[in-house]
Amino acid sequence: MNSLVYIALGGGLLSVLYGLYLSSNILKLPVGTPDMNAIADAIAEGAAAFLKREYTAIAVLSVIIVILLGFTLGWMSALAFAIGAFCSALAGAIGMNIAVRANIRTSEAAKKGLKEALGVAFSGGAVTGLMVAGLALLAIAVTYVITISHQVGVVSLTPLVALGFGGSLISVFARLGGGIYTKGADVGTDMVGKIEKGIPEDDPRNPGVIADLVGDNVGDDAGMAADLFETYVVTAVATMLLGHLVIPQAANAMMFPMVVGAAGVVASVLGTFFVKLGKSKAIMGALYKGLIASSVISAALFYPITTMLMADNGKYATLNLYGASLIGIVLTVVMVGITEFFTSKDFGSVKRIAEASNTGHGTNIIAGLAVSMKSTFPPVLAIAGAMLGAYLFAGLYGVALAAMAMLSLAGIVIAIDAFGPITDNAGGIAEMTNQPEKVRDVTDALDAVGNTTKAVTKGYAIASAGLAALVLFASYTQELGSRASMGFRLDDPFVLVGLFVGAALPYVFGALAMEAVGNAAGAVVVEVRRQFKTIKGIMEGKAKPNYGKAVDIVTQAALKEMILPASLPVVVPVVVGFTLGAAALGGFLMGTIITGLFVAISMTTGGAAWDNAKKYIEAGHFGGKGSPAHQAAVTGDTVGDPYKDTAGPAINPMIKVANIVALLIAAYIH
């Protein structure tokens, strides 16, 4: 067994242990007044109930797949799938559990000031980030030790592909289920509360408000954690697979991506110490200090790692490999900047949507759609430039290495993202318990930034997913490249048919996800209206709504609605591969990658821009809360919510599930 695997194991353990240390510190903090605890407990209880139901349903499906894989690809592959599925679910569960405990502590810390509240919220987010990166690295290293290291002669990497499949399958269900829940609850609650009853967001009189706050955790925390976990694992596996196929003579080709990941973990841990407010009190600036520090430390660590481990690869100069890894780091920073430009209240795109709200609901929708479409071009240029630059440095392996370098920063990037749902909940708790205005000023400031950080991380996830999917596709073509009949020619009608079917899949998937949110939201609307009508005294604050009933209804709706769209990326590649052949499946994968990238960027960025346009108006512009412009902005946000938090993010794992399924069946199609 290659001793370098111990570095990966050590890096993973470091990340997990530091995450547990942060968790311990958070749990020691004061939790506020009894009424604050009552709200926080209701959120935690609802989140746990949803996750338990969701994971129970997924576990049944996973057991079936484990058995199928055992009889078709071998029990080592079945075991690897189980490891990937378990660790993906665990990453989401741990992240969500600390988030629902950090929220009330952030509200309490806000009584002392912005600095203290920021520290608690970011620490809570850092737990999720470090757990995701650490568990992903451990899963890869443990799977390698159990299933690969003992092999002699021709090495089979199928178990590693199965590991990625396990993480990806859990991710697509977690993203969809959590996304449908959070936006079904959010949209349904807002439609009755804000529009029909004219009460503020997070008003305790609204029967759906707890379900809405629960949704922030199951969608933006647990779902996001599972998403980035599988992206990390899939990218590392694809890089290992491609290294094994392209540079088999390199002794450390299999270990190199894991060591890069370990270096990224160290950089992410160190980067958390740089997140501090400066004199300007800029919250986003404080978070970016951590990202920049982690990026610089990673760049410094990658050079000696590359020169020591890859000097004997026999094909690429070590400086070229190092250059490819730097491209991945640069792309991370560029994607963060581009996404903030299109989604932050400080820039023109959001302000234009807010201004368009002055003339009505229709013009708000038109402006938002225009921003969502325009927002695809700069990221795609950045991703294309990164692909081309990395390819010129070291071919397809360079692209894989750039993707791995990008994902090595997942710890700090997810920490910035998971900060968002914590601050959102903290604001809700402060609002519902009538905390002093100075407290709500702090939580509102954090929440406004948190909305942008969630959008920024989605942009990062989409870019990394695009690179990872390309690497998976390259692995697929390498796997089939030795066949004389294999080829991907655009004058081949089978390739074109596959291309068209693949290009349509993200649209069908996105449509089903949007419809699912609409159905779940409709169920919430009916229940909230029923309670307002039948429970006398809610509007006067004399009677308490039945929050649990709304939580239960949206839970059932989300779990029911996620089944069909989540099955598409598993079933359709199998049908295409076995009916039309390997060439058509290759075309299918390319079509899915290309349109999936555009649809995901458009939805996530456009939705966040709609949301922040509403918040920009609520800050006092164009008439402020209750104005006609605000009413139009609420409509835009209602459309944007399932865009940015359900359909758009779920396309990431969908693309990779389709590619991994293709890799798994490659040996059986012709």
mmCIF file of all heavy atoms in Angstrom, residues 58 74 87 92 167 200 221 243 252 266 342 368 400 413 417 506 558 657:
data_model
loop_
_atom_site.group_PDB
_atom_site.id
_atom_site.type_symbol
_atom_site.label_atom_id
_atom_site.label_comp_id
_atom_site.label_asym_id
_atom_site.label_seq_id
_atom_site.Cartn_x
_atom_site.Cartn_y
_atom_site.Cartn_z
ATOM 1 N N ILE A 58 -34.360 7.141 1.370
ATOM 2 C CA ILE A 58 -33.159 6.954 0.556
ATOM 3 C C ILE A 58 -32.439 5.667 0.944
ATOM 4 O O ILE A 58 -31.863 4.978 0.086
ATOM 5 C CB ILE A 58 -32.220 8.172 0.710
ATOM 6 C CG1 ILE A 58 -32.902 9.435 0.174
ATOM 7 C CG2 ILE A 58 -30.911 7.942 -0.033
ATOM 8 C CD1 ILE A 58 -32.127 10.709 0.452
ATOM 9 N N GLY A 74 -19.649 -6.558 -8.377
ATOM 10 C CA GLY A 74 -18.843 -7.132 -7.298
ATOM 11 C C GLY A 74 -19.137 -6.475 -5.964
ATOM 12 O O GLY A 74 -19.582 -5.330 -5.890
ATOM 13 N N CYS A 87 -21.393 8.413 3.973
ATOM 14 C CA CYS A 87 -20.630 9.624 4.310
ATOM 15 C C CYS A 87 -21.306 10.881 3.776
ATOM 16 O O CYS A 87 -21.276 11.937 4.420
ATOM 17 C CB CYS A 87 -19.200 9.514 3.776
ATOM 18 S SG CYS A 87 -18.185 8.322 4.666
ATOM 19 N N GLY A 92 -24.261 15.813 5.531
ATOM 20 C CA GLY A 92 -25.440 16.665 5.583
ATOM 21 C C GLY A 92 -26.067 16.712 6.963
ATOM 22 O O GLY A 92 -26.459 17.778 7.441
ATOM 23 N N GLY A 167 -22.194 8.765 -3.366
ATOM 24 C CA GLY A 167 -22.289 10.162 -2.954
ATOM 25 C C GLY A 167 -23.218 10.964 -3.840
ATOM 26 O O GLY A 167 -24.009 11.794 -3.368
ATOM 27 N N PRO A 200 -45.391 40.709 8.138
ATOM 28 C CA PRO A 200 -43.977 40.615 7.752
ATOM 29 C C PRO A 200 -43.498 39.167 7.611
ATOM 30 O O PRO A 200 -44.139 38.220 8.088
ATOM 31 C CB PRO A 200 -43.241 41.303 8.916
ATOM 32 C CG PRO A 200 -44.274 42.064 9.650
ATOM 33 C CD PRO A 200 -45.561 41.343 9.455
ATOM 34 N N ASP A 221 -28.405 23.796 3.904
ATOM 35 C CA ASP A 221 -27.298 23.243 4.691
ATOM 36 C C ASP A 221 -27.107 21.759 4.401
ATOM 37 O O ASP A 221 -26.103 21.359 3.815
ATOM 38 C CB ASP A 221 -27.532 23.472 6.183
ATOM 39 C CG ASP A 221 -26.229 23.502 6.965
ATOM 40 O OD1 ASP A 221 -25.513 22.494 6.919
ATOM 41 O OD2 ASP A 221 -25.920 24.517 7.607
ATOM 42 N N GLY A 243 -5.714 9.851 -14.221
ATOM 43 C CA GLY A 243 -4.272 9.691 -14.038
ATOM 44 C C GLY A 243 -3.827 8.266 -14.286
ATOM 45 O O GLY A 243 -2.794 8.010 -14.917
ATOM 46 N N ASN A 252 2.811 7.829 -8.505
ATOM 47 C CA ASN A 252 1.938 8.491 -7.539
ATOM 48 C C ASN A 252 0.684 9.102 -8.164
ATOM 49 O O ASN A 252 0.018 9.935 -7.541
ATOM 50 C CB ASN A 252 2.718 9.594 -6.811
ATOM 51 C CG ASN A 252 3.852 9.035 -5.981
ATOM 52 O OD1 ASN A 252 3.713 7.995 -5.339
ATOM 53 N ND2 ASN A 252 5.002 9.701 -6.007
ATOM 54 N N VAL A 266 -5.826 21.576 5.015
ATOM 55 C CA VAL A 266 -4.957 22.366 5.904
ATOM 56 C C VAL A 266 -5.146 23.855 5.628
ATOM 57 O O VAL A 266 -5.280 24.671 6.556
ATOM 58 C CB VAL A 266 -3.483 21.966 5.706
ATOM 59 C CG1 VAL A 266 -2.561 22.914 6.479
ATOM 60 C CG2 VAL A 266 -3.255 20.525 6.156
ATOM 61 N N PHE A 342 -23.419 39.691 -9.993
ATOM 62 C CA PHE A 342 -24.788 39.554 -10.483
ATOM 63 C C PHE A 342 -25.829 39.430 -9.373
ATOM 64 O O PHE A 342 -27.022 39.581 -9.641
ATOM 65 C CB PHE A 342 -24.902 38.338 -11.412
ATOM 66 C CG PHE A 342 -24.378 38.581 -12.807
ATOM 67 C CD1 PHE A 342 -23.160 38.054 -13.201
ATOM 68 C CD2 PHE A 342 -25.096 39.343 -13.710
ATOM 69 C CE1 PHE A 342 -22.668 38.272 -14.477
ATOM 70 C CE2 PHE A 342 -24.616 39.573 -14.989
ATOM 71 C CZ PHE A 342 -23.395 39.038 -15.375
ATOM 72 N N GLY A 368 -35.743 40.270 -14.190
ATOM 73 C CA GLY A 368 -35.083 39.133 -13.544
ATOM 74 C C GLY A 368 -34.668 38.065 -14.533
ATOM 75 O O GLY A 368 -33.565 37.510 -14.445
ATOM 76 N N ALA A 400 -8.462 17.923 -15.152
ATOM 77 C CA ALA A 400 -8.833 17.190 -13.940
ATOM 78 C C ALA A 400 -8.128 17.768 -12.719
ATOM 79 O O ALA A 400 -8.730 17.922 -11.643
ATOM 80 C CB ALA A 400 -8.490 15.714 -14.106
ATOM 81 N N VAL A 413 -15.008 27.345 1.343
ATOM 82 C CA VAL A 413 -16.124 27.853 0.536
ATOM 83 C C VAL A 413 -17.458 27.423 1.139
ATOM 84 O O VAL A 413 -18.400 28.220 1.239
ATOM 85 C CB VAL A 413 -16.007 27.368 -0.922
ATOM 86 C CG1 VAL A 413 -17.231 27.798 -1.726
ATOM 87 C CG2 VAL A 413 -14.750 27.914 -1.578
ATOM 88 N N ASP A 417 -20.752 29.471 2.729
ATOM 89 C CA ASP A 417 -22.135 29.191 2.327
ATOM 90 C C ASP A 417 -23.019 28.861 3.515
ATOM 91 O O ASP A 417 -24.111 29.419 3.677
ATOM 92 C CB ASP A 417 -22.150 28.024 1.335
ATOM 93 C CG ASP A 417 -23.556 27.622 0.925
ATOM 94 O OD1 ASP A 417 -24.216 26.933 1.722
ATOM 95 O OD2 ASP A 417 -23.997 27.989 -0.176
ATOM 96 N N PRO A 506 -31.688 18.413 -18.685
ATOM 97 C CA PRO A 506 -31.727 19.439 -17.632
ATOM 98 C C PRO A 506 -33.008 20.263 -17.639
ATOM 99 O O PRO A 506 -33.487 20.682 -16.577
ATOM 100 C CB PRO A 506 -30.505 20.317 -17.952
ATOM 101 C CG PRO A 506 -29.570 19.392 -18.670
ATOM 102 C CD PRO A 506 -30.452 18.522 -19.501
ATOM 103 N N ALA A 558 -42.727 17.114 -0.086
ATOM 104 C CA ALA A 558 -41.361 17.131 -0.629
ATOM 105 C C ALA A 558 -40.865 15.725 -0.934
ATOM 106 O O ALA A 558 -40.273 15.470 -1.996
ATOM 107 C CB ALA A 558 -40.419 17.823 0.361
ATOM 108 N N VAL A 657 -24.416 12.377 -11.753
ATOM 109 C CA VAL A 657 -25.016 11.048 -11.656
ATOM 110 C C VAL A 657 -25.098 10.412 -13.040
ATOM 111 O O VAL A 657 -24.764 9.236 -13.224
ATOM 112 C CB VAL A 657 -26.422 11.121 -11.011
ATOM 113 C CG1 VAL A 657 -27.157 9.798 -11.188
ATOM 114 C CG2 VAL A 657 -26.312 11.439 -9.529
#
